[in-house]
Amino acid sequence: MADTTAHTVKSFDEDIAQLRSIITRMGGLCEVQIAGAVDALVSRNVDAAMRVVEADARIDLLEAEAEALAVRIIALRAPLAGDLREIVAALKIAGVLERIGDYAKNIAKRASALAMAPPIEPVIIVPEMARAVIGMIKDVLDAFVDRDVQLAKAVCDRDQRVDDLYNSLFRSLLTFMMENPHYITPSTHLLFVAKNLERIGDHATSVGEMVHFAVTGIHIVDRPKTDDTSTYSNTPLVPPVA
Amino acid sequence: MADTTAHTVKSFDEDIAQLRSIITRMGGLCEVQIAGAVDALVSRNVDAAMRVVEADARIDLLEAEAEALAVRIIALRAPLAGDLREIVAALKIAGVLERIGDYAKNIAKRASALAMAPPIEPVIIVPEMARAVIGMIKDVLDAFVDRDVQLAKAVCDRDQRVDDLYNSLFRSLLTFMMENPHYITPSTHLLFVAKNLERIGDHATSVGEMVHFAVTGIHIVDRPKTDDTSTYSNTPLVPPVA
């Protein structure tokens, strides 16, 4: 009887390890996709951008695999309390990573469009935003695998810097568009690219909150949002001073 | 023994009914929030917009309630196959509705900013987009509650119209900004409002796909995306003819 119990426990751990490994692979692909999309954007490389668009399907497949495995674990093992919380967190994290992959794909699509337009200067802030969110994804998934609540919280705090970069780029782009109305189309694409990266930061933060809940059973108290551009309205009729 | 089984089955049905009822309440609130945000936008009513922003917390609370109930049902009843699939779908749908609520909140924030800027004409397409996505949310949740696969698929097909409206508004706004560079800030907000509504349509579609999978166990084949604005790049140096 002791043997059976040990066997069951061991198999459950193996199941969880497999689920964590799928999530880690999804996270690694997301990092590669974001970096690839932003490289294609900066180097104005349409072929590279197209490869990123095509590669997104692999993240979608892994999400379906994670979901199927999570459901199988629940059905076969009927896990309780902490174990169940971890599986539900894995299910939700897989969903978030799938969306992060979609954002990377969208950046790559816009990179193709931008490669056909004349280069615009505010693009230089984009790689810095990308590095910041890639670091957040990497660390928040380490926190998930290691059940490291402190690291998960630290990642949440780093979203502030992504929001600051976004706010700065948003304002630069508005000024740039007002001064160069002919560049409005590429600037608009870059605005959405920046918004996608800002949303990736939000999603990495929400994963941090999921990890915190999975490990402790307690929700992190709501942090304030610091993307303040949605209420940005000062003197819209007067272009800001450059 | 027959009595015990009947009792267990009945209780499980009650649990599922309670979970469906939370999802339905979330959907109803999402509809009210989108309509409220867009009304505030069109009527330039900052107070109404702020009320929408504050009311979003109710959707977040309901999501936490749905998740807690779903986890409790899984832990207590260890549902199998179709039942488990339905609970996992409910969990995911609650997450999607929470995000739809966030989009409505963001529209309300931008409505406040827009109320302080001079009125711009392309705003007239927004209520039409809002009506389309509200109808999709309503019908897709009816499909979820009634396990109606045909209705779920029909809702997915309606996303095309939302994408068409978005593409049309996107192009109008670009033209508008090029002709009136001083209106770039409010136009940018409206661009994000339109994008939020387009994303709500995508999310309603993904709920349709979740309902399809929950009922049939089969994934709908990937439909093509028809928001083509992310690759829009024709003659960015030359403003389009009005």
Side-chain angles (χ1 to χ4, degrees):
Chain A
M1 189 61 192
D3 269 343
T4 313
T5 310
H7 176 73
T8 305
V9 170
K10 184 163 175 292
S11 296
F12 179 77
D13 286 348
E14 281 169 355
D15 284 345
I16 288 274
Q18 198 190 339
L19 191 52
R20 283 204 194 104
S21 141
I22 297 173
I23 302 281
T24 306
R25 273 154 62 207
M26 288 184 79
L29 283 178
C30 284
E31 292 166 35
V32 168
Q33 288 284 89
I34 297 165
V38 169
D39 282 352
L41 179 75
V42 173
S43 63
R44 306 169 61 79
N45 185 333
V46 176
D47 289 342
M50 283 302 116
R51 282 195 296 276
V52 171
V53 170
E54 283 159 19
D56 180 58
R58 291 164 59 202
I59 300 179
D60 296 350
L61 279 178
L62 283 174
E63 191 212 0
E65 207 179 300
E67 184 179 328
L69 178 60
V71 168
R72 208 156 59 231
I73 297 174
I74 294 172
L76 290 179
R77 314 232 177 253
L80 294 178
D83 289 339
L84 181 55
R85 220 161 49 220
E86 173 146 9
I87 294 166
V88 170
L91 201 60
K92 292 174 76 173
I93 292 170
V96 171
L97 292 173
E98 189 272 330
R99 277 192 302 286
I100 289 177
D102 283 349
Y103 284 117
K105 180 167 80 169
N106 189 264
I107 293 170
K109 281 188 189 172
R110 293 187 190 275
S112 296
L114 282 163
M116 292 165 205
I120 56 173
E121 191 236 313
V123 80
I124 53 167
I125 303 186
V126 171
E128 203 177 339
M129 282 190 81
R131 272 192 300 274
V133 300
I134 288 170
M136 287 174 74
I137 294 170
K138 193 190 163 304
D139 289 348
V140 87
L141 292 183
D142 284 349
F144 170 65
V145 170
D146 300 336
R147 302 174 59 80
D148 183 338
V149 178
Q150 290 314 312
L151 182 56
K153 275 174 114 168
V155 170
C156 296
D157 292 339
R158 276 152 61 188
D159 194 37
Q160 172 72 58
R161 183 169 142 64
V162 177
D163 288 348
D164 289 345
L165 288 168
Y166 173 69
N167 292 337
S168 154
L169 183 53
F170 180 85
R171 284 171 177 79
S172 303
L173 278 170
L174 286 192
T175 311
F176 188 82
M177 284 195 268
M178 287 172 196
E179 287 168 356
N180 313 276
H182 288 174
Y183 290 95
I184 283 175
T185 302
S187 302
T188 300
H189 285 306
L190 209 53
L191 213 52
F192 278 116
V193 166
K195 186 71 200 171
N196 286 342
L197 290 170
E198 189 269 333
R199 291 293 295 150
I200 291 174
D202 284 350
H203 280 308
T205 304
S206 75
V207 172
E209 292 164 354
M210 289 168 193
V211 171
H212 187 278
F213 180 70
V215 176
T216 65
I218 299 161
H219 287 288
I220 293 183
V221 181
D222 269 331
R223 83 217 135 77
K225 298 275 274 181
T226 51
D227 158 18
D228 60 356
T229 61
S230 54
T231 51
Y232 181 74
S233 70
N234 62 326
T235 55
L237 276 176
V238 187
V241 181
Chain B
M1 191 65 193
D3 269 342
T4 313
T5 311
H7 176 74
T8 305
V9 171
K10 182 165 178 291
S11 295
F12 179 77
D13 286 348
E14 279 169 356
D15 284 344
I16 289 273
Q18 197 189 339
L19 192 51
R20 283 203 195 105
S21 141
I22 297 173
I23 302 281
T24 306
R25 273 153 61 207
M26 287 184 80
L29 282 178
C30 285
E31 293 166 35
V32 169
Q33 288 284 89
I34 297 165
V38 169
D39 283 351
L41 180 74
V42 173
S43 63
R44 305 169 62 78
N45 185 334
V46 176
D47 289 341
M50 284 300 117
R51 281 195 296 276
V52 171
V53 170
E54 283 159 20
D56 180 57
R58 290 164 61 201
I59 299 178
D60 296 350
L61 279 177
L62 283 174
E63 190 212 1
E65 208 179 301
E67 184 180 329
L69 178 60
V71 168
R72 209 157 58 230
I73 297 175
I74 295 172
L76 290 178
R77 314 229 176 255
L80 294 178
D83 288 339
L84 181 54
R85 221 162 48 221
E86 172 146 10
I87 293 166
V88 170
L91 202 58
K92 293 175 75 174
I93 291 170
V96 171
L97 292 173
E98 189 272 330
R99 278 192 300 287
I100 289 178
D102 283 349
Y103 285 116
K105 180 166 81 170
N106 189 265
I107 293 171
K109 281 187 188 173
R110 293 188 190 275
S112 296
L114 282 163
M116 291 165 206
I120 56 174
E121 192 236 313
V123 80
I124 53 167
I125 303 185
V126 171
E128 202 176 339
M129 281 190 82
R131 271 192 300 275
V133 300
I134 288 170
M136 287 174 75
I137 294 171
K138 193 190 163 304
D139 289 348
V140 87
L141 292 182
D142 283 350
F144 169 65
V145 170
D146 299 337
R147 301 174 59 81
D148 182 338
V149 177
Q150 291 312 313
L151 182 57
K153 275 174 114 168
V155 170
C156 296
D157 292 338
R158 275 152 62 187
D159 194 36
Q160 173 71 59
R161 184 170 141 64
V162 176
D163 288 348
D164 289 345
L165 287 168
Y166 172 70
N167 293 338
S168 154
L169 182 53
F170 180 86
R171 284 170 175 76
S172 302
L173 277 170
L174 286 192
T175 311
F176 188 79
M177 285 196 267
M178 287 173 197
E179 287 169 356
N180 314 274
H182 288 173
Y183 289 95
I184 282 175
T185 302
S187 301
T188 300
H189 285 306
L190 209 54
L191 213 52
F192 278 116
V193 166
K195 187 72 200 168
N196 286 342
L197 290 169
E198 189 270 334
R199 291 293 295 150
I200 291 174
D202 284 349
H203 281 308
T205 304
S206 74
V207 171
E209 291 165 353
M210 289 169 194
V211 170
H212 188 277
F213 180 70
V215 175
T216 64
I218 299 161
H219 287 288
I220 292 184
V221 181
D222 269 332
R223 83 217 134 77
K225 298 275 274 181
T226 51
D227 158 19
D228 60 358
T229 61
S230 53
T231 50
Y232 181 72
S233 70
N234 63 325
T235 54
L237 276 177
V238 186
V241 181

